[in-house]
Amino acid sequence: MVKATSSVQDRKLRESEQRRKDIIKAVRKLIKAGGARAITLRKVAEEAGFSTTVVYALFEDKATLITQAMDSDLLNLAKAMRAATDPALPPIDNIKRAGRAYVKFGMLHPDQYALVFLERRPHAPVESAKIEHGNQTQDPYAFGHQLFAALAESGVVRADRLDSMGQIFWEGIHGMTSLRLVFGETEQWFEHAAFDQHLEDLLDVLMTGILHRFRA
């Protein structure tokens, strides 16, 4: 009897997880078509083929729904940044490597990048995400923060300004990524330097400024 009950519970859990995946898929499709602001739980339910009751049972609200729709993209970005670094290298080299990986991830995955970093959307508490906030293997920002912590441990920058350093660096690489995605390479209002050269210049300028401003 216990075994049968366990089997039923396992089946219900699998069904619930599959429904959650189907709903997330519907959310991503709707966002790609009309943006995050056009999302409603009713539209999501219709697209996924479920009742609104099912959607409400699995997701607390619209903000949670959209937040969890981004989880896989954040995981993939964190993975790309981690793969680009090498523990044997100096911290500055690894920061630049992670920065390159970030920008190139955005260029290779424009729809995913836009969903996470360019869409105006409601924000849910960090606990609403399936990825663990602050986990360096899952959270790209936490991984970047750890790289600056390693830089501080080397004695060249102040350990009490890690948040500022990480945020400034992130804002810089995000700026290049978002402008390239929005304007493309043929926009005529300003000159476009060759991508790789511009990326290297950006990383050098960011790190030169950070090392000067936050020197130990």
Side-chain angles (χ1 to χ4, degrees), residues 47-65:
E47 178 66 32
F50 299 119
S51 67
T52 53
T53 302
V54 170
V55 178
Y56 275 112
L58 293 171
F59 301 92
E60 182 178 343
D61 51 29
K62 174 179 172 178
T64 299
L65 189 60

Side-chain angles (χ1 to χ4, degrees), residues 179-195 198:
L179 284 172
R180 291 274 174 163
L181 290 179
V182 171
F183 288 109
E185 300 297 326
T186 59
E187 200 280 327
Q188 298 179 1
W189 283 101
F190 57 89
E191 293 294 327
H192 289 273
F195 177 85
H198 187 69

Side-chain angles (χ1 to χ4, degrees), residues 22-87:
D22 291 341
I23 291 169
I24 290 295
K25 183 178 180 180
V27 172
R28 293 172 68 87
K29 181 178 179 180
L30 290 170
I31 290 176
K32 186 175 181 179
R37 284 173 289 176
I39 292 291
T40 66
L41 268 66
R42 183 175 297 278
K43 286 182 180 179
V44 171
E46 291 174 354
E47 178 66 32
F50 299 119
S51 67
T52 53
T53 302
V54 170
V55 178
Y56 275 112
L58 293 171
F59 301 92
E60 182 178 343
D61 51 29
K62 174 179 172 178
T64 299
L65 189 60
I66 295 174
T67 295
Q68 292 190 18
M70 302 185 306
D71 283 344
S72 62
D73 300 318
L74 286 169
L75 286 170
N76 288 334
L77 174 57
K79 181 179 179 180
M81 293 172 68
R82 291 200 317 274
T85 60
D86 182 345

Side-chain angles (χ1 to χ4, degrees), residues 109-158:
H109 308 283
D111 291 335
Q112 294 89 329
Y113 189 87
L115 168 60
V116 179
F117 297 115
L118 297 178
E119 279 284 348
R120 293 181 60 187
R121 53 184 169 78
H123 293 273
V126 293
E127 295 81 9
S128 299
K130 290 294 185 181
I131 66 171
E132 182 182 358
H133 178 249
N135 184 330
Q136 297 168 11
T137 65
Q138 299 180 7
D139 179 344
Y141 191 81
F143 178 72
H145 188 278
Q146 176 265 329
L147 295 177
F148 279 97
L151 184 64
E153 288 174 4
S154 72
V156 298
V157 293
R158 295 169 53 181

Side-chain angles (χ1 to χ4, degrees), residues 193-209:
F195 177 85
D196 288 331
Q197 182 60 59
H198 187 69
L199 177 54
E200 293 309 308
D201 290 342
L202 174 69
L203 294 171
D204 285 344
V205 168
L206 285 172
M207 289 312 300
T208 298

